[in-house]
Amino acid sequence: MSVNIDRYESAVARYFEAWNAGEPEALAKAVAAAWSVEGTYTDPLATVTGHTEIAGLIAGAHEQFPGFAFRPLGAVDGHHDTARFAWELVSEADGSAPVAGFDVITLDADGRIRSVLGFLDRVPAGA
C-alpha cells in the first residue's frame, strides 16, 4: 500500500507545484509534469482540457488572487488510480485563506493526472 500512497502523494505534490508556479515557462513545465497530455480539470467554475487550457486556468487564478498560494490541508487518501485531498488558497501577506476545497484526481499508468474533479467548500462573494 505504501507504494500507492507514495504515488498519490507524488502526483499531488506535482499538482501543487503547478498551481503555485508563477512564471509562464515554469507553469507550462509544471503542468506538463503533473497532467497527461489530454488531462482535464473540472470544478464548479471551469472545465478545461489539455496543458494549454489548464495552464491558462491556473494563470487566471493567479491574476484573481495575486500574492496567494495553494496549500494542502491534511493527508492524501487514495485507492486504485484515484486520490483525494483538501487544499486552501492562502495569502502570503497575512495567512488568511478565503478559498478552500477538495479535489479528486485520477492517474494514468505513469502517475500523471488524467482528470481532476474539484469541489469548492469556501469561496468569497463575487469570486
Side-chain angles (χ1 to χ4, degrees):
M1 177 114 170
S2 66
V3 171
N4 284 336
I5 293 297
D6 289 345
R7 180 174 182 237
Y8 306 137
E9 289 176 351
S10 293
V12 171
R14 288 190 308 272
Y15 177 85
F16 281 106
E17 287 175 21
W19 275 97
N20 289 318
E23 298 299 317
E25 186 175 312
L27 175 56
K29 184 177 179 180
V31 167
W35 270 269
S36 64
V37 173
E38 295 298 320
T40 63
Y41 177 93
T42 303
D43 71 17
L45 305 174
T47 299
V48 296
T49 300
H51 292 171
T52 300
E53 289 183 10
I54 292 167
L57 176 72
I58 293 170
H62 285 272
E63 289 174 14
Q64 186 175 4
F65 294 97
F68 283 76
F70 286 88
R71 302 283 186 247
L73 283 175
V76 175
D77 182 29
H79 62 82
H80 296 85
D81 290 330
T82 304
R84 66 179 177 166
F85 55 94
W87 54 267
E88 63 184 352
L89 184 62
V90 179
S91 168
E92 295 173 347
D94 66 13
S96 64
V99 183
F102 77 92
D103 292 348
V104 176
I105 62 173
T106 58
L107 304 177
D108 68 11
D110 295 326
R112 290 169 57 204
I113 298 169
R114 280 193 321 227
S115 69
V116 176
L117 296 176
F119 295 84
L120 302 173
D121 297 324
R122 183 173 60 237
V123 179

